[in-house]
């Protein structure tokens, strides 16, 4: 079963990367927002099981990502929220984790293998396409290199 996800991030490139990765893990991205206010409207319309939330977005000062996080927690405490931000974790992470965030991931240190492992624990029904067996892929590559005539090496 696909896990419905909403991505809230003002970077089109990062949304694209995250969407492709999450879809490869068996998630279905049902909404993408570029700011907190749009995120709240889309959250209410789609009710995803997982929300990824960037903290550094150009928002109006009357409704910022922290407000969106707290509003989603009030309206739907069962929704998993992952903070994905360029801001260093530090005390910021402690605050969000203590208020119910599933995780706090720094964009610059984002390890997608860890993301997949963590999400598969939280959403055991998440089914993604099977990944290639890397050891057999390595053997095939080594084998094909052995068949290249020496004058081409």
């Amino acid at each position: 079963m696909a896990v419905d996800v909403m991505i809230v991030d003002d970077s089109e490139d990062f949304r694209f990367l995250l969407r492709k990765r999450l879809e490869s893990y068996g998630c279905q991205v049902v909404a993408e927002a570029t700011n907190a206010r749009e995120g709240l409207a889309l959250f209410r319309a789609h009710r995803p099981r997982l929300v990824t939330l960037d903290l550094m977005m150009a928002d109006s000062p009357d409704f910022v990502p922290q407000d969106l996080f707290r509003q989603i927690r009030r309206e739907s405490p069962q929704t998993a929220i992952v903070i994905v931000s360029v801001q260093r974790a530090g005390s910021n992470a402690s605050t969000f984790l203590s208020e119910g965030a599933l995780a706090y991931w720094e964009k610059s240190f984002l390890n997608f293998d860890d993301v997949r492992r963590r999400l598969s624990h939280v959403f055991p029904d998440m089914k993604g396409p099977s990944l290639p067996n890397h050891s057999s892929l390595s053997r095939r590559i080594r084998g094909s290199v052995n068949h290249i005539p020496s004058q081409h090496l």
Side-chain angles (χ1 to χ4, degrees), residues 25-39:
Y25 302 158
C27 296
Q28 179 179 356
V29 176
V30 296
E32 293 183 24
T34 60
N35 61 59
R37 191 153 307 280
E38 180 183 20

Side-chain angles (χ1 to χ4, degrees), residues 12-105:
E12 184 177 351
D13 291 337
F14 189 75
R15 286 194 319 271
F16 176 82
L17 171 67
L18 191 55
R19 178 178 63 252
K20 291 300 180 191
R21 288 295 185 133
L22 292 172
E23 287 172 348
S24 77
Y25 302 158
C27 296
Q28 179 179 356
V29 176
V30 296
E32 293 183 24
T34 60
N35 61 59
R37 191 153 307 280
E38 180 183 20
L40 182 58
L42 289 171
F43 174 78
R44 288 175 171 163
H46 295 278
R47 294 292 183 185
R49 293 171 60 195
L50 171 65
V51 173
T52 67
L53 177 61
D54 181 18
L55 298 180
M56 298 294 293
M57 295 184 291
D59 283 290
S60 63
D62 63 323
F63 196 77
V64 296
Q66 292 83 342
D67 298 324
L68 174 60
F69 173 83
R70 291 181 179 113
Q71 189 63 38
I72 291 172
R73 297 295 302 145
R74 273 192 297 276
E75 291 182 19
S76 181
Q78 72 279 6
T79 298
I81 304 173
V82 173
I83 306 300
V84 184
S85 184
V86 295
Q87 285 185 338
R88 304 283 307 194
S91 64
N92 215 19
S94 299
T95 300
F96 282 98
L97 294 171
S98 69
E99 291 183 26
L102 174 64
Y104 189 109
W105 293 324

